[in-house]
Short mmCIF file of all heavy atoms in Angstrom, two decimals:
data_model
loop_
_atom_site.label_atom_id
_atom_site.label_comp_id
_atom_site.label_asym_id
_atom_site.label_seq_id
_atom_site.Cartn_x
_atom_site.Cartn_y
_atom_site.Cartn_z
N ARG A 221 30.83 -19.02 3.00
CA ARG A 221 32.10 -18.90 2.35
C ARG A 221 32.13 -17.70 1.31
O ARG A 221 33.24 -17.01 1.13
CB ARG A 221 32.35 -20.18 1.48
CG ARG A 221 32.69 -21.40 2.39
CD ARG A 221 33.23 -22.58 1.62
NE ARG A 221 34.50 -22.27 0.88
CZ ARG A 221 34.94 -23.06 -0.12
NH1 ARG A 221 34.29 -24.06 -0.49
NH2 ARG A 221 36.13 -22.64 -0.56
N GLN A 222 30.97 -17.48 0.73
CA GLN A 222 31.01 -16.31 -0.26
C GLN A 222 31.28 -15.09 0.34
O GLN A 222 31.84 -14.10 -0.21
CB GLN A 222 29.50 -16.34 -0.85
CG GLN A 222 29.15 -17.31 -1.86
CD GLN A 222 27.75 -17.32 -2.30
OE1 GLN A 222 27.04 -16.41 -2.14
NE2 GLN A 222 27.31 -18.54 -2.81
N VAL A 223 30.86 -14.79 1.59
CA VAL A 223 30.87 -13.44 2.21
C VAL A 223 32.05 -13.35 3.26
O VAL A 223 32.29 -12.40 3.77
CB VAL A 223 29.60 -13.12 3.01
CG1 VAL A 223 28.45 -13.16 2.07
CG2 VAL A 223 29.39 -14.09 4.19
N GLN A 224 32.88 -14.48 3.45
CA GLN A 224 33.82 -14.48 4.48
C GLN A 224 35.04 -13.50 4.20
O GLN A 224 35.70 -13.02 5.15
CB GLN A 224 34.42 -15.86 4.57
CG GLN A 224 35.15 -16.37 3.46
CD GLN A 224 35.71 -17.79 3.68
OE1 GLN A 224 35.55 -18.44 4.73
NE2 GLN A 224 36.31 -18.40 2.62
N ASP A 225 35.14 -13.23 2.81
CA ASP A 225 36.40 -12.30 2.64
C ASP A 225 35.95 -10.83 2.48
O ASP A 225 36.81 -9.93 2.24
CB ASP A 225 37.04 -12.76 1.28
CG ASP A 225 37.79 -14.06 1.36
OD1 ASP A 225 38.17 -14.41 2.49
OD2 ASP A 225 37.78 -14.77 0.37
N LEU A 226 34.72 -10.52 2.71
CA LEU A 226 34.21 -9.11 2.68
C LEU A 226 34.50 -8.47 3.93
O LEU A 226 34.67 -9.12 5.06
CB LEU A 226 32.67 -9.15 2.49
CG LEU A 226 32.12 -9.65 1.13
CD1 LEU A 226 30.69 -9.60 1.20
CD2 LEU A 226 32.58 -8.78 -0.06
N PRO A 227 34.62 -7.15 3.97
CA PRO A 227 34.84 -6.33 5.19
C PRO A 227 33.70 -6.69 6.11
O PRO A 227 32.49 -6.90 5.72
CB PRO A 227 34.75 -4.97 4.69
CG PRO A 227 35.14 -4.98 3.25
CD PRO A 227 34.67 -6.19 2.73
N GLU A 228 33.96 -6.74 7.54
CA GLU A 228 32.99 -7.22 8.34
C GLU A 228 31.65 -6.35 8.32
O GLU A 228 30.67 -6.96 8.49
CB GLU A 228 33.62 -7.02 9.76
CG GLU A 228 32.79 -7.73 11.01
CD GLU A 228 33.43 -7.73 12.27
OE1 GLU A 228 34.76 -7.51 12.30
OE2 GLU A 228 32.86 -8.06 13.27
N GLU A 229 31.81 -5.05 8.17
CA GLU A 229 30.57 -4.25 8.06
C GLU A 229 29.61 -4.52 6.88
O GLU A 229 28.56 -4.14 6.78
CB GLU A 229 30.96 -2.80 8.05
CG GLU A 229 31.71 -2.33 6.81
CD GLU A 229 33.22 -2.42 7.02
OE1 GLU A 229 33.64 -3.21 8.00
OE2 GLU A 229 33.90 -1.91 6.18
N GLU A 230 30.29 -5.26 5.85
CA GLU A 230 29.50 -5.64 4.66
C GLU A 230 28.93 -7.06 4.69
O GLU A 230 27.97 -7.44 3.86
CB GLU A 230 30.32 -5.36 3.41
CG GLU A 230 30.80 -3.94 3.18
CD GLU A 230 31.73 -3.77 1.95
OE1 GLU A 230 31.61 -4.79 1.10
OE2 GLU A 230 32.47 -2.83 1.80
N ARG A 231 29.38 -7.85 5.46
CA ARG A 231 29.11 -9.24 5.48
C ARG A 231 27.59 -9.52 5.81
O ARG A 231 26.89 -10.29 5.00
CB ARG A 231 29.88 -10.06 6.49
CG ARG A 231 31.25 -10.52 6.01
CD ARG A 231 32.03 -11.28 7.08
NE ARG A 231 33.41 -10.94 7.08
CZ ARG A 231 34.20 -10.91 8.10
NH1 ARG A 231 33.72 -11.38 9.19
NH2 ARG A 231 35.41 -10.67 8.02
N GLU A 232 27.02 -8.91 6.75
CA GLU A 232 25.63 -9.15 7.06
C GLU A 232 24.70 -8.88 6.00
O GLU A 232 23.76 -9.60 5.67
CB GLU A 232 25.35 -8.40 8.41
CG GLU A 232 24.01 -8.78 9.09
CD GLU A 232 24.00 -10.24 9.53
OE1 GLU A 232 24.98 -10.62 10.28
OE2 GLU A 232 23.11 -11.03 9.28
N GLN A 233 24.92 -7.61 5.43
CA GLN A 233 24.01 -7.23 4.32
C GLN A 233 24.20 -8.16 3.09
O GLN A 233 23.19 -8.62 2.47
CB GLN A 233 24.31 -5.82 3.89
CG GLN A 233 23.25 -5.25 3.05
CD GLN A 233 21.80 -5.18 3.57
OE1 GLN A 233 21.69 -4.90 4.82
NE2 GLN A 233 20.79 -5.43 2.86
N ALA A 234 25.42 -8.54 2.78
CA ALA A 234 25.60 -9.48 1.73
C ALA A 234 25.04 -10.84 1.97
O ALA A 234 24.46 -11.47 1.08
CB ALA A 234 27.09 -9.57 1.46
N ALA A 235 25.12 -11.41 3.19
CA ALA A 235 24.60 -12.53 3.51
C ALA A 235 23.10 -12.55 3.33
O ALA A 235 22.38 -13.50 2.96
CB ALA A 235 25.03 -12.94 4.89
N LEU A 236 22.43 -11.46 3.86
CA LEU A 236 21.05 -11.27 3.77
C LEU A 236 20.46 -11.38 2.26
O LEU A 236 19.50 -12.03 2.05
CB LEU A 236 20.61 -10.05 4.51
CG LEU A 236 19.08 -9.72 4.57
CD1 LEU A 236 18.42 -10.83 5.42
CD2 LEU A 236 18.83 -8.33 5.25
N ALA A 237 21.20 -10.60 1.46
CA ALA A 237 20.86 -10.65 0.01
C ALA A 237 20.97 -12.02 -0.52
O ALA A 237 20.12 -12.44 -1.22
CB ALA A 237 21.77 -9.57 -0.66
N ALA A 238 22.03 -12.77 -0.09
CA ALA A 238 22.20 -14.06 -0.72
C ALA A 238 21.10 -15.10 -0.13
O ALA A 238 20.70 -15.91 -0.97
CB ALA A 238 23.66 -14.63 -0.29
#
Side-chain angles (χ1 to χ4, degrees):
R221 290 191 63 192
Q222 287 170 20
V223 303
Q224 67 182 358
D225 294 330
L226 293 175
E228 190 172 346
E229 63 275 10
E230 297 178 17
R231 271 182 222 153
E232 193 64 46
Q233 193 59 39
L236 185 59

